[in-house]
Amino acid sequence: MYSNMKNNITKALHSLFRNAHVAHLKRTSHQIKSQTSRHVQNYLNGMSILNISKKCNYPPSMMARLIIENIAMMPGGDENDANKKCQSTDAEGETNASTMNTNAKP
């Protein structure tokens, strides 16, 4: 009986937090989207998506989608900036081959 009550409390808390999160997203989403160009510029200047999303109190997955969609729609001149950003380095300072620009000229 105790485990059943504990399970119900856990479900209720989960539902409460999920509802609060959805309400927060609905309340702040338009503000985040209106500042997309600033977020893209921060990303191209070297700020990580995780840091941008923490600064805005917005989910990293949704922030990544906003940034990537806007980078993909940029005119061809800014494409090189986005490709440079994709050549990230890991903790040891080695280039991460899985994210390297494969279209770069040798």
Side-chain angles (χ1 to χ4, degrees):
M1 176 152 174
Y2 175 74
S3 65
N4 189 24
M5 187 170 74
K6 185 177 176 183
N7 191 24
N8 287 340
I9 291 171
T10 303
K11 286 181 181 179
L13 284 174
H14 181 64
S15 177
L16 176 71
F17 286 125
R18 183 178 49 239
N19 288 339
H21 180 69
V22 168
H24 168 74
L25 288 178
K26 286 181 179 180
R27 204 173 40 250
T28 61
S29 192
H30 67 281
Q31 295 168 341
I32 301 298
K33 289 179 181 179
S34 69
Q35 299 172 356
T36 301
S37 61
R38 187 182 79 186
H39 302 313
V40 169
Q41 195 58 46
N42 285 340
Y43 175 73
L44 293 176
N45 288 336
M47 191 177 218
S48 72
I49 291 175
L50 186 59
N51 287 338
I52 295 169
S53 63
K54 281 182 181 179
K55 186 177 174 184
C56 299
N57 194 19
Y58 200 68
S61 59
M62 294 177 80
M63 182 64 74
R65 181 178 177 168
L66 267 176
I67 291 172
I68 290 169
E69 284 176 347
N70 280 276
I71 288 176
M73 293 172 32
M74 285 182 169
D78 294 330
E79 191 174 284
N80 291 330
D81 291 338
N83 287 335
K84 287 178 191 173
K85 178 65 179 170
C86 290
Q87 294 178 350
S88 64
T89 56
D90 59 17
E92 292 82 32
E94 298 174 8
T95 302
N96 186 348
S98 65
T99 59
M100 283 184 57
N101 176 15
T102 56
N103 296 329
K105 296 178 182 175

